[in-house]
Amino acid sequence: MASWSLLLLVHCGQSHHAEAPHVFPSGMLMAIDITQERGLSHLDYKYLDGAPICRFPLFSSLEPLPMDWMYLVYVVMFLGSVGIMLGLFYRLSCLMFIATYWYVFFLDKTAWNNHSYLYGLIGFQLTLMDANRYWSLDGLMKPKKRNADVPLWNYTLLRVQIFIVYFIAGIKKLDADWVEGYSMSYLAHHWLFEPFQMILSVDQVSLLVVHGGGLALDLTAGYLLFFDATRPFGIVFVSYFHCMNSQLFSIGMFAYTMLATSPLFCYPDWPRRFFARFPAPLWVLLPITAPGPQPSSSCVYPEVQKGGKKAPKTPSSNTTPKVSQPRFRHKLATVFAFIYVVEQFFLPYSHFITQGYNNWTNGLYGYSWDMMVHSRSHQHVKITYKDGTTGEVGYLNPGVFTHSRRWKDHGDMLKQYAVCLSANLPRYNITEPEIYFDIWVSINERFQQRIFDPRVDIVKADWSPFRPNPWLMPLLVDLSPWRTKFQEIESSLDNQTEIVFIADFPGLHLENFVSEDLGNTSVQVLQGQVTVEITEENKNYTLETGQQMKLPHGAYHKVYTVSEGPSCYMYVYVNTTEAALQQNFTRLLGIQERVRNGTETEPLPPELLPLIATDDQGSEVNATDPVVQLFLRRQRRMKEVKKRREANVMERLNRFTVKKYYLLRRGFLMTSIALRNLAFGLPPVDQLTREVAFANMKEPLQEANQDGPLKEEAGHGEL
């Protein structure tokens, strides 16, 4: 049995010769990804020397190099990816890529996700494979490698890896929240699903198309791609799926990487057969189509085949592979492939080992393949510090000293953030600071609830990756059935009324401030018992299940949970400022329409004249009334959104090209500056300032991301 499995992995089949994995697209996408999701274009913002920035490496002792040297690290990574793409100094290129890639990966846990982990895995696999045998520069320089057979285990490993990405993601989506349609319900409102809304309601699109379709595709995609009869359907389905994902999410090159992996499931000689269909005069410019592959020492060629026939000559070649026996390196390749596959199936379920990472998820997100299983919303984030010497208490702006927001959801990052804050605060005369976090999160449309114990000083708190997090508050899963009630309550409200659902633990309280903008704010108890303290009045009110009270605006209050079990309550409020603004917008729109169709009989006052100006942006600037200015700005943005969505293919391609050009341009110029600094030293400050300003130049009509909902110009305070 062992010898059979070994031959299956290392021999090169006789009916279909294995050629080099088609590595050109992978290398090209790796190179493009470095300037984008890996962050080359904004590297100076991330690794600015001397800035008091809190970082989140895998190991606390792991530090980034000085900024100019980090640019050199990225140059090495880029050259490695280009070498992989061209098959030039292939093994060295792979080592250059994975060494720098994993270094950058381990430097910043806030950037971890499933697909960045996948890129590192593929880079590692390619290092051990013979992917420079077909249409590579190495093949041109070394005849032994040119057009040579490749062991089938190369393809097997890559196919299994992609199968795992799909299948384990499908297994993770068997979670009750996904099956019931709570994980990604907001996606159903995206314009991509408008065709489905012609026959289904939004709720049905969310349940059947988004969640049901995503689950079915992930579970079946690997099998559809594997079998000959279903492969065409599989390629169509996964291609449509990844094209949609590229529009739904900001996931860099992942969608295109997965598109590039689909041909791996085809017969290994498909490039040869594909290019053989081109006219003969073009063959000199295309990959080799004849003669057939030459034998390779990496393969094992059996003496007999099925039926007792001797091994035939390779197609279109006069070379007959010599019979060979498995050698030590062949056996080693078999052992490696077996161990790697087992390990990849084991890791997504190994979170009983790394228990300190479990924050309402199945462990470290990076290697779980639990893609999009959890959606979160944060309602309340408060950081409190206490001077260890004077006892002075104060508050910090959430996110101070860091560019990331992911620390709010992960215990290991919260610990690192607290330690970093305690190291930076002494600069501001705060000695031996204690740091407390009060963070409220809703996962998959549940109640907003605390994720960490606000009574624990995280600086001194114990944390280990191998033990459960002692200051992590448990997810109140027993309250999950309330989500159906939430939908009923929300559907009964008018468009101006908003609502927030809160759940809290016994012995804790929520301190909150009701903004002046929020009129008619009340709190109503859904379950348990609470005591509401109005801070300014110094009065307490106890509320039972079903009771409610109105809260004063422009003042603080505290809600204490005094019942034996968790309390559940909801805030109901109206943003009076926004409601008045919407009424004004409706009035201005009516005036604008009447003027344009000639039915307005009264002359417009001077402050309303910009409503009829032809130059939208100019009229916005010239508007003296702030409400008119906001109205014109919103109109202009809505027109831009409509224009973007109705743009033809050429307009979309032009916009995409211009955007990527300026992104690549900045990355190239900043890299050139850094390499110049390393080679010749820093120039005068004024020269460096001019060079950076030139690199920062943006396209003349740069647009913000307007595919999402329009931001409300009239915001309100924290509730």
Side-chain angles (χ1 to χ4, degrees):
M1 180 65 182
S3 61
W4 168 255
S5 61
L6 185 145
L7 285 175
L8 179 63
L9 287 172
V10 301
H11 95 280
C12 293
Q14 304 305 319
S15 58
H16 295 284
H17 286 269
E19 296 159 2
H22 319 305
V23 75
F24 182 87
S26 299
M28 180 177 65
L29 293 173
M30 289 174 181
I32 296 174
D33 180 76
I34 289 170
T35 62
Q36 298 187 78
E37 196 168 0
R38 295 315 114 206
L40 177 62
S41 61
H42 55 272
L43 201 62
D44 52 320
Y45 296 111
K46 192 171 185 178
Y47 296 111
L48 185 63
D49 293 338
I53 296 176
C54 295
R55 307 189 189 279
F56 304 91
L58 177 62
F59 306 105
S60 298
S61 59
L62 190 62
E63 294 285 343
L65 299 172
M67 187 179 69
D68 288 341
W69 287 97
M70 286 302 300
Y71 273 102
L72 180 60
V73 169
Y74 273 70
V75 168
V76 173
M77 191 194 313
F78 180 80
L79 293 177
S81 63
V82 172
I84 294 173
M85 178 179 68
L86 300 176
L88 177 63
F89 305 118
Y90 174 75
R91 207 71 65 187
L92 175 62
S93 296
C94 287
L95 291 174
M96 290 168 58
F97 177 79
I98 65 169
T100 51
Y101 184 91
W102 284 104
Y103 169 67
V104 172
F105 184 81
F106 289 145
L107 268 181
D108 186 14
K109 286 185 290 188
T110 65
W112 286 14
N113 50 39
N114 290 276
H115 55 271
S116 58
Y117 169 63
L118 176 65
Y119 298 160
L121 292 180
I122 293 178
F124 169 68
Q125 293 175 40
L126 292 176
T127 306
L128 305 175
M129 295 179 178
D130 296 336
N132 60 336
R133 300 299 192 257
Y134 184 63
W135 207 34
S136 69
L137 296 182
D138 282 348
L140 292 178
M141 296 184 294
K142 298 180 181 180
K144 288 186 178 181
K145 293 183 178 180
R146 187 184 308 157
N147 200 26
D149 279 331
V150 174
L152 288 179
W153 73 267
N154 287 197
Y155 276 96
T156 301
L157 209 58
L158 287 171
R159 288 166 175 167
V160 170
Q161 183 67 74
I162 302 305
F163 174 86
I164 287 173
V165 173
Y166 286 119
F167 187 69
I168 298 298
I171 295 295
K172 293 299 183 78
K173 286 182 175 62
L174 291 174
D175 177 81
D177 285 359
W178 183 277
V179 173
E180 295 174 11
Y182 291 109
S183 295
M184 294 284 127
S185 59
Y186 66 90
L187 289 182
H189 297 278
H190 197 279
W191 63 268
L192 280 172
F193 295 99
E194 289 178 358
F196 298 101
Q197 294 176 15
M198 298 175 63
I199 56 176
L200 299 172
S201 66
V202 174
D203 291 340
Q204 290 173 329
V205 170
S206 174
L207 182 62
L208 301 178
V209 180
V210 176
H211 293 89
L215 172 63
L217 188 137
D218 278 337
L219 285 176
T220 61
Y223 296 101
L224 292 175
L225 292 171
F226 183 79
F227 295 104
D228 293 350
T230 57
R231 188 173 300 119
F233 301 101
I235 291 177
V236 169
F237 289 146
V238 300
S239 298
Y240 180 71
F241 175 72
H242 293 305
C243 288
M244 289 186 66
N245 283 344
S246 69
Q247 301 299 310
L248 288 171
F249 307 109
S250 298
I251 51 177
M253 303 305 297
F254 177 61
Y256 308 104
T257 300
M258 294 303 292
L259 285 171
T261 62
S262 295
L264 284 171
F265 292 85
C266 301
Y267 286 102
D269 63 344
W270 74 264
R272 186 184 302 275
R273 291 184 285 109
F274 174 75
F275 289 113
R277 298 176 181 271
F278 283 71
L282 297 178
W283 286 357
V284 67
L285 303 175
L286 298 175
I288 300 171
T289 57
Q294 65 171 319
S296 170
S297 60
S298 298
C299 297
V300 174
Y301 296 96
E303 181 175 2
V304 294
Q305 288 186 305
K306 185 177 180 181
K309 297 181 180 179
K310 293 184 178 181
K313 298 177 181 179
T314 58
S316 305
S317 173
N318 295 322
T319 304
T320 301
K322 294 182 180 180
V323 175
S324 57
Q325 296 297 322
R327 287 177 284 178
F328 175 75
R329 66 190 184 107
H330 297 138
K331 297 177 182 179
L332 189 63
T334 303
V335 173
F336 162 76
F338 178 77
I339 293 176
Y340 181 85
V341 170
V342 171
E343 175 256 356
Q344 282 298 303
F345 274 105
F346 168 75
L347 275 180
Y349 301 97
S350 66
H351 307 304
F352 61 91
I353 299 176
T354 55
Q355 299 179 63
Y357 291 98
N358 291 9
N359 290 353
W360 299 353
T361 68
N362 297 319
L364 275 179
Y365 183 74
Y367 59 74
S368 298
W369 309 120
D370 53 349
M371 294 172 282
M372 306 300 175
V373 176
H374 304 293
S375 62
R376 298 168 180 265
S377 64
H378 297 81
Q379 185 67 29
H380 184 94
V381 179
K382 183 172 71 173
I383 305 177
T384 307
Y385 70 83
K386 180 179 180 181
D387 191 306
T389 302
T390 65
E392 177 189 0
V393 175
Y395 303 95
L396 299 176
N397 182 31
V400 65
F401 299 123
T402 182
H403 301 309
S404 174
R405 296 178 294 177
R406 292 188 71 176
W407 54 268
K408 295 185 292 186
D409 297 318
H410 300 272
D412 59 315
M413 297 186 202
L414 196 79
K415 174 67 176 179
Q416 290 175 307
Y417 189 40
V419 172
C420 178
L421 290 176
S422 69
N424 282 304
L425 289 181
R427 302 180 185 180
Y428 303 91
N429 299 321
I430 302 171
T431 58
E432 300 180 4
E434 301 173 5
I435 308 294
Y436 302 88
F437 294 90
D438 194 13
I439 301 174
W440 293 73
V441 184
S442 169
I443 183 171
N444 295 345
E445 301 185 17
R446 289 179 172 84
F447 281 102
Q448 290 280 341
Q449 68 153 97
R450 286 184 167 95
I451 184 172
F452 304 111
D453 193 332
R455 300 164 294 190
V456 176
D457 173 18
I458 305 300
V459 177
K460 300 176 183 177
D462 180 55
W463 181 85
S464 169
F466 307 112
R467 295 193 303 271
N469 192 334
W471 31 273
L472 172 69
M473 308 298 283
L475 177 63
L476 297 172
V477 292
D478 293 342
L479 301 178
S480 298
W482 273 95
R483 289 179 291 190
T484 303
K485 184 66 175 177
F486 296 166
Q487 295 174 348
E488 296 176 1
I489 295 174
E490 290 172 339
S491 63
S492 66
L493 302 175
D494 56 48
N495 294 332
Q496 297 180 350
T497 304
E498 300 183 44
I499 195 163
V500 178
F501 298 97
I502 304 290
D504 204 3
F505 296 90
L508 296 178
H509 72 275
L510 168 65
E511 182 179 17
N512 211 344
F513 177 79
V514 179
S515 170
E516 295 283 357
D517 293 330
L518 306 182
N520 196 27
T521 299
S522 64
V523 59
Q524 178 177 340
V525 180
L526 302 174
Q527 178 177 300
Q529 186 181 46
V530 303
T531 295
V532 180
E533 176 188 348
I534 307 301
T535 305
E536 291 184 355
E537 300 176 1
N538 198 22
K539 292 183 179 179
N540 295 335
Y541 304 88
T542 299
L543 302 179
E544 305 282 349
T545 300
Q547 294 181 329
Q548 62 178 334
M549 67 171 290
K550 189 173 181 179
L551 298 171
H553 57 79
Y556 280 94
H557 67 273
K558 298 179 181 178
V559 182
Y560 295 85
T561 297
V562 296
S563 54
E564 294 183 359
S567 66
C568 307
Y569 51 95
M570 63 180 180
Y571 284 99
V572 182
Y573 61 96
V574 175
N575 190 330
T576 53
T577 301
E578 176 64 17
L581 192 63
Q582 291 295 342
Q583 291 178 356
N584 283 324
F585 283 176
T586 302
R587 179 179 63 86
L588 293 175
L589 181 62
I591 294 174
Q592 190 180 61
E593 290 179 349
R594 290 196 299 273
V595 170
R596 289 177 176 175
N597 60 28
T599 59
E600 178 63 43
T601 57
E602 298 292 333
L604 293 182
E607 65 270 16
L608 298 184
L609 290 178
L611 292 175
I612 58 176
T614 56
D615 181 3
D616 292 341
Q617 191 167 3
S619 61
E620 175 190 320
V621 173
N622 296 328
T624 57
D625 190 315
V627 175
V628 174
Q629 190 178 44
L630 287 175
F631 172 75
L632 294 174
R633 184 184 305 168
R634 179 173 293 193
Q635 274 198 323
R636 179 169 59 86
R637 294 185 62 195
M638 292 178 66
K639 288 180 180 178
E640 290 171 351
V641 171
K642 183 179 180 181
K643 180 180 178 181
R644 285 167 59 94
R645 290 185 178 178
E646 295 179 352
N648 58 41
V649 175
M650 292 305 299
E651 291 172 336
R652 290 174 182 266
L653 180 61
N654 179 68
R655 185 169 62 238
F656 175 83
T657 304
V658 170
K659 180 179 179 180
K660 297 306 177 186
Y661 164 75
Y662 280 94
L663 187 72
L664 296 175
R665 175 185 179 274
R666 187 180 195 279
F668 174 78
L669 292 176
M670 293 301 296
T671 301
S672 301
I673 294 172
L675 296 181
R676 189 274 318 275
N677 294 344
L678 290 175
F680 304 105
L682 288 172
V685 175
D686 57 344
Q687 176 185 340
L688 190 61
T689 302
R690 290 194 304 270
E691 292 173 346
V692 174
F694 180 70
N696 287 335
M697 186 177 66
K698 298 178 181 179
E699 58 267 36
L701 299 177
Q702 184 189 29
E703 297 174 332
N705 180 16
Q706 299 174 20
D707 286 329
L710 290 174
K711 294 181 179 178
E712 301 297 333
E713 288 85 354
H716 54 75
E718 181 182 88
L719 177 67

